[in-house]
Amino acid sequence: METQVNQATFITNQQVLEHWQGHRALTRRVIETFPEKDLFTFKIGGMRTFGKMVGELLAIAGPGVIGLATNEWKQLDERDKCQESKDKLLEFWDQATEVINEYWSKIPEGRFQETQSAFGMYVNKGYASLLYFVDNEIHHRGQGYVYLRALGIEPPAFWER
């Protein structure tokens, strides 16, 4: 007996975007919660500061969606552009959110199933790259939660996305 495959969509592209933007809004609140000096100086056990981790997230998110939309991948650029300013970091975060929203609808049908070389070095299907972008953000946000708790600061509730 052959199994019938239901072609109903499990989740739409718009729902994926909304899910990710929920995570991004929460990560933004974590950035806001950090005292500015600790955002760029506090670290535990040889890990980077949360400010540096956020720089990595910024290097991936907007450019990653542009890459998915255009299939033109620039080299990953994690240079510090915020000059250790929390306001600048939040400004760059908001700009990345706008880029994601602008380019999301430009991702061609089927692109998530195509194999690509994200940032010229990570060969994977488009959906796997996108899931990495989200997973990586959640991972680093978790490190930010540990830092905040070590500083005696209550982080935002993780379920409030």
Side-chain angles (χ1 to χ4, degrees), residues 68 111-114 116 124-132:
L68 287 168
R111 179 62 52 85
F112 290 114
Q113 297 303 319
E114 294 174 11
Q116 302 160 44
N124 223 327
K125 298 275 188 184
Y127 76 85
S129 293
L130 174 67
L131 292 176
Y132 172 80

Side-chain angles (χ1 to χ4, degrees), residues 5-18:
V5 177
N6 182 347
Q7 295 298 319
T9 301
F10 167 69
I11 187 169
T12 67
N13 287 357
Q14 185 61 34
Q15 289 168 324
V16 172
L17 174 62
E18 290 168 8

Side-chain angles (χ1 to χ4, degrees), residues 139-153:
H139 162 72
H140 286 310
R141 187 175 65 231
Q143 291 173 305
Y145 274 57
V146 170
Y147 284 9
L148 287 171
R149 291 205 183 275
L151 290 165
I153 299 169

